């Protein structure tokens, strides 16, 4: 097989990579919001946020979020194309809703500490996060929503459900990431609940219909086999 044939076969095998073109929509829109939503925004936080302590050690799972999301996409991309499409549809729909909300309802929070009580490598990492990411465009939290998206994809995967250790690891990592958003003062609990509600609603449209149709299909198939 020549180079052109191999390339053609590779493109055909991984043609679902076109989904990643969504980044060309998301990133310019998000960066535009980050540049323009700086002062005049609706502050989203409640009294409960004031009672949540700042814990710099949570910066570790917070940063591992990037690896977490990338690993999930790569797994489904190479092993489960239908699962990849569903996860991408679920995640990118939520991300688009986030962009729309941030556009028509500029939002942010003022929870970040001005002075840190301790000085260590974890605090240095938090400072880095604060410099790279503004305190605006926070509702709903994409760290939370995308983590939940991975949990849903894993829960709905026939192959992964067989591996309880993998599932437990994924759920535990997602839980730590979600906790990190509030303990690092990156998000209000309102952002967390907003992301959770959005994930629940989108689940009803993207994953639930397929689950409902599966038993119906099985019954129809069984009926056909009996008639034969």
């Amino acid at each position: 097989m020549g180079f052109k044939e191999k390339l053609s076969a590779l493109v055909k095998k991984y043609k679902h990579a076109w989904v990643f073109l969504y980044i060309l929509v998301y990133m310019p829109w998000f960066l535009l919001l980050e540049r323009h939503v700086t002062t005049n925004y609706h502050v989203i936080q409640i009294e409960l946020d004031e009672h949540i302590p700042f814990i710099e050690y949570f910066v570790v799972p917070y940063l591992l979020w990037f690896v977490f999301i990338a690993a999930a996409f790569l797994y489904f991309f190479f092993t489960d194309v239908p699962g990849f499409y569903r996860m991408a549809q679920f995640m990118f729909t939520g991300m688009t809703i986030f962009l729309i909300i941030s556009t028509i309802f500029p939002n942010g929070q003022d929870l970040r500490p001005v002075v840190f009580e301790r000085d260590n490598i974890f605090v240095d990492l938090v400072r880095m996060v604060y410099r790279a990411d503004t305190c605006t465009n926070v509702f709903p939290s994409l760290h939370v929503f995308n983590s939940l998206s991975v949990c849903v994809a894993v829960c709905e995967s026939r192959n992964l459900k067989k591996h309880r250790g993998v599932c437990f690891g994924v759920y535990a990592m997602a839980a730590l990431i979600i906790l990190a958003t509030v303990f690092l003062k990156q998000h209000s609990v309102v952002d967390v609940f907003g992301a959770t509600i959005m994930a629940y609603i989108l689940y009803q449209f993207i994953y639930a219909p397929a689950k409902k149709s599966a038993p119906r299909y099985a019954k129809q198939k069984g009926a056909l086999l009996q008639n034969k």
Side-chain angles (χ1 to χ4, degrees), residues 55-63 175-177 179-181 183-184:
I55 304 177
E56 69 269 24
Y57 307 111
F58 274 96
V59 72
V60 176
Y62 188 86
L63 291 175
L176 288 172
I177 291 170
L179 288 173
T181 63
F183 282 119
L184 292 183

Side-chain angles (χ1 to χ4, degrees), residues 30-41 106 136-137:
F30 176 74
L31 292 175
L32 185 66
L33 289 171
E34 286 285 276
R35 190 175 299 114
H36 291 284
V37 181
T38 55
T39 54
N40 297 320
Y41 56 81
T136 58
N137 308 311

